[in-house]
Amino acid sequence: MKQDMIAIIDLGSEENSAIARLIRSYGVYSEIYAHDITLEALKKMPNVKGVILNGGPNRVVDGVKIDVSQDLYSIGVPFLAIDHDTDKCPQGKVSDIKSFIFDTCHCDANWNMDNFIQDQVELLRKQIGNKKVLLALSGGVDSSVVAALLIKAIGNQLVCVHVNHGLLRKGEPEQVVRVFREELGANLIYSDSVDRFLDKLAGVEDPEKKRKIIGAEFIRVFEEEARKLDGIDFLAQGTIYPDIVESGTKTGKAVKAHHNVGGLPEDLKFELVEPLKYLFKDEVRACGKALGLPDDMVYRQPFPGPGLGVRCLGAITRDRLEAVRESDAILREEFAKNGLQGKVWQYFTLIPDTKSVGVRDNARCYDWPVIIRAVNTVDAMTATIEHIDWAILDKITSRILSEVKGVNRVCYDLSPKPTATIEWE
Ligand code: XMP
């Protein structure tokens, strides 16, 4: 890292990430550290040009007063103390921060995605040498960007494993193969595990059991693929900065175990490669874009790990799973056509495990309903529904009813979170 950096020290504020993002938006790199960081550790951080002590109300966390070690002040760069008495960063402070980083610390605004990529490529080559790296490539934003970055740094020393568990959206496995194997020339192992997952899930109704089966089976398939390979020393992961910040700079606790590592057996020992671990989500997307990944991969909406498995309610059946996949594809297509893609935070369809009576071709039918969900949120903790134009809903409804087999009704879920959650399971 050759760029200037502002260190933010967490003294119990909820605004650490907001301030780090603000500073980065000015083109100056910034990282968040726990309050008990030592002078030696801070000195090791490259190019620290200033320190922000970011305190919450009275700098008290869980009833305990916290402060930085006093010798930190001898580091020889300017300090700015921010003590909020509200929870939100007051607007007035924004200009103080800007003036601090440029007028007081004389930072150069030279941090951007191009030099982030250059730095990472250099660091990755140094860390990995001529060894091999394994990556579970789901096709989600984070793993896709990690893959693209590693391909740029080490080419075919990266081995990607894409597990198709049958619960991905329409076209996703094909897109992973097309983009990574055909366009980027990646060393990609494609594991068609659809039957294996669906057999394991057959008859399982409980949503938590379904999640556990999908998670455990994923690790098993990935482990089996990893064992077939020789000479892999590293495991790449799409850990991003919120994963690290949320795991407790305040308490100085270790980073939480990430699911795809925690589950691997002891004898499969890999060193971790986490090139995105200092990027926020929007920066990860910008990095993917700069690396040439397609927009629909980089800007895609959130998608749960268990995929369509939690949208095919109750015990998963192949007919309903296909109907969820097809109706979701129609919904996404119509949202894109009508300028709603990228505007609505998350939208999808789901199918409950209850049929209803209808009429088709002058005869009674007994078919599935499709439910449409479209929500907006900032942090997924609460959500409001999108007020979709009736004409768009009408079009989506008529397409689903005519194109998706076994469906005779379409409903729109009007429930906010709370009381509902975003997903139904
Ligand atoms: P809920 O349904 O809890 O969802 O309001 C909030 C957000 O989390 C996503 N979600 C999941 N993501 N594994 C995931 O990786 C899961 O099991 C899971 N369940 C929900 C959901 O899509 C929404 O964005």
Side-chain angles (χ1 to χ4, degrees):
M1 172 74 64
K2 300 171 197 74
Q3 291 79 39
D4 293 343
M5 200 239 276
I6 296 288
I8 297 171
I9 303 204
D10 174 17
L11 284 167
S13 168
E14 289 179 0
E15 298 297 309
N16 297 305
S17 296
I19 292 175
R21 290 165 67 106
L22 177 75
I23 296 170
R24 291 184 189 193
S25 74
Y26 296 136
V28 176
Y29 187 64
S30 179
E31 278 184 16
I32 304 162
Y33 302 110
H35 70 277
D36 55 1
I37 186 169
T38 61
L39 177 63
E40 289 64 42
L42 194 59
K43 273 185 178 162
K44 278 193 198 139
M45 302 302 166
N47 305 334
V48 175
K49 285 289 175 72
V51 176
I52 293 180
L53 300 178
N54 193 30
N58 305 318
R59 297 186 180 179
V60 169
V61 174
D62 293 339
V64 177
K65 188 135 180 92
I66 55 168
D67 205 347
V68 290
S69 151
Q70 295 303 301
D71 64 354
L72 230 55
Y73 295 105
S74 67
I75 192 169
V77 298
F79 277 64
L80 173 71
I82 304 177
D83 283 288
H84 309 303
D85 287 309
T86 63
D87 278 338
K88 299 287 162 225
C89 176
Q91 281 308 304
K93 292 288 178 206
V94 170
S95 56
D96 291 358
I97 291 169
K98 194 170 184 183
S99 158
F100 175 70
I101 58 180
F102 293 117
D103 304 334
T104 311
C105 305
H106 305 290
C107 291
D108 284 330
N110 57 6
W111 187 74
N112 58 42
M113 259 324 130
D114 288 339
N115 55 40
F116 171 83
I117 291 170
Q118 261 177 31
D119 286 350
Q120 284 303 320
V121 165
E122 227 173 83
L123 286 171
L124 287 167
R125 285 181 183 157
K126 208 183 280 175
Q127 183 188 4
I128 296 159
N130 58 7
K131 298 189 168 149
K132 283 189 186 163
V133 182
L134 184 63
L135 169 72
L137 175 59
S138 66
V141 181
D142 303 339
S143 69
S144 297
V145 177
V146 170
L149 193 53
L150 278 160
I151 291 165
K152 188 174 174 78
I154 58 161
N156 270 349
Q157 287 164 251
L158 173 72
V159 183
C160 303
V161 176
H162 177 67
V163 177
N164 181 2
H165 50 32
L167 306 167
L168 295 170
R169 287 174 294 192
K170 188 171 176 174
E172 283 184 335
E174 294 82 357
Q175 185 187 39
V176 169
V177 172
R178 190 179 65 249
V179 169
F180 288 97
R181 188 184 281 164
E182 292 164 22
E183 291 170 19
L184 297 178
N187 193 349
L188 172 74
I189 295 165
Y190 174 82
S191 165
D192 179 349
S193 307
V194 177
D195 290 340
R196 181 172 169 164
F197 275 82
L198 295 188
D199 288 350
K200 277 262 166 193
L201 286 163
V204 181
E205 287 177 13
D206 180 74
E208 288 313 304
K209 272 195 194 138
K210 286 162 70 178
R211 275 193 170 76
K212 283 204 181 104
I213 289 171
I214 297 165
E217 201 58 19
F218 181 88
I219 288 165
R220 222 164 282 146
V221 174
F222 187 64
E223 181 202 334
E224 282 171 23
E225 294 297 338
R227 285 194 193 283
K228 288 183 207 158
L229 301 164
D230 273 338
I232 303 268
D233 289 281
F234 294 92
L235 182 72
Q237 286 203 123
T239 312
I240 66 171
Y241 207 32
D243 299 334
I244 291 180
V245 174
E246 282 160 21
S247 33
T249 50
K250 287 176 200 168
T251 55
K253 271 187 210 145
V255 173
K256 70 185 165 195
H258 294 287
H259 60 279
N260 45 348
V261 171
L264 285 179
E266 274 289 294
D267 65 323
L268 275 181
K269 282 204 171 60
F270 297 115
E271 194 180 318
L272 286 188
V273 175
E274 297 176 298
L276 307 181
K277 72 176 172 189
Y278 292 115
L279 295 189
F280 291 106
K281 193 77 179 192
D282 53 331
E283 295 167 338
V284 172
R285 294 187 205 277
C287 181
K289 184 106 178 101
L291 287 162
L293 291 179
D295 279 5
D296 57 352
M297 195 168 241
V298 166
Y299 295 110
R300 61 182 229 161
Q301 51 168 321
F303 187 58
L308 301 181
V310 292
R311 295 177 184 170
C312 185
L313 306 191
I316 297 170
T317 54
R318 287 178 192 248
D319 59 344
R320 277 191 305 127
L321 186 58
E322 277 325 298
V324 174
R325 205 184 326 265
E326 288 302 320
S327 56
D328 175 76
I330 291 170
L331 181 77
R332 285 191 289 139
E333 206 180 304
E334 291 300 323
F335 266 43
K337 272 191 210 157
N338 289 284
L340 294 172
Q341 181 181 307
K343 178 176 174 275
V344 182
W345 195 81
Q346 195 172 18
Y347 46 96
F348 53 88
T349 62
L350 57 111
I351 301 195
D353 52 354
T354 316
K355 285 184 172 180
S356 75
V357 174
V359 56
R360 187 188 300 279
D361 301 329
N362 295 320
R364 179 189 189 275
C365 62
Y366 193 48
D367 283 333
W368 307 110
V370 161
I371 294 166
I372 296 174
R373 189 99 173 103
V375 296
N376 290 306
T377 175
V378 174
D379 54 11
M381 303 296 285
T382 60
T384 54
I385 61 135
E386 173 73 11
H387 291 221
I388 303 174
D389 197 313
W390 280 109
I392 301 172
L393 279 177
D394 266 349
K395 176 76 191 299
I396 294 167
T397 302
S398 73
R399 279 197 61 191
I400 291 176
L401 293 179
S402 64
E403 294 173 37
V404 183
K405 223 172 129 220
V407 172
N408 64 356
R409 270 175 214 274
V410 175
C411 308
Y412 187 57
D413 183 352
L414 291 169
S415 329
K417 176 181 180 176
T419 52
T421 51
I422 295 175
E423 305 286 347
W424 273 47
E425 282 196 339

